Amino acid sequence: MYSFGQTISGDSQFYDHIEHAIPIQIYQDQNHTDIGYIDAYSDNFVKVNQTYYCRKQFTFVSRPGY
């Protein structure tokens, strides 16, 4: 389904990660920021570990099996 390290950005990808409980890792400027499961998402934000991350400011990476 998703490769370890695959960048995700589309709504369907975020939905899949919620639906299948696939963890993601979050980066800002290539620096690790957080890792966890998506709680919710919108057009502008992704909520992970009770923190909202701006979709334009951060990079979200799939971590299946982590």
Side-chain angles (χ1 to χ4, degrees):
M1 181 181 228
Y2 289 95
S3 301
F4 190 87
Q6 177 180 345
T7 301
I8 61 171
S9 60
D11 286 349
S12 64
Q13 294 173 317
F14 290 121
Y15 176 80
D16 285 345
H17 280 71
I18 291 173
E19 183 75 14
H20 300 288
I22 303 169
I24 64 165
Q25 194 164 7
I26 303 165
Y27 290 89
Q28 182 178 28
D29 299 325
Q30 299 181 354
N31 294 313
H32 169 75
T33 303
D34 201 355
I35 191 167
Y37 296 94
I38 299 173
D39 299 319
Y41 67 93
S42 69
D43 290 340
N44 297 310
F45 295 95
V46 176
K47 184 179 177 187
V48 175
N49 297 329
Q50 303 301 315
T51 303
Y52 291 89
Y53 295 96
C54 178
R55 287 173 66 166
K56 293 180 182 176
Q57 185 177 357
F58 293 89
T59 302
F60 304 94
V61 177
S62 184
R63 294 295 189 213
Y66 186 80

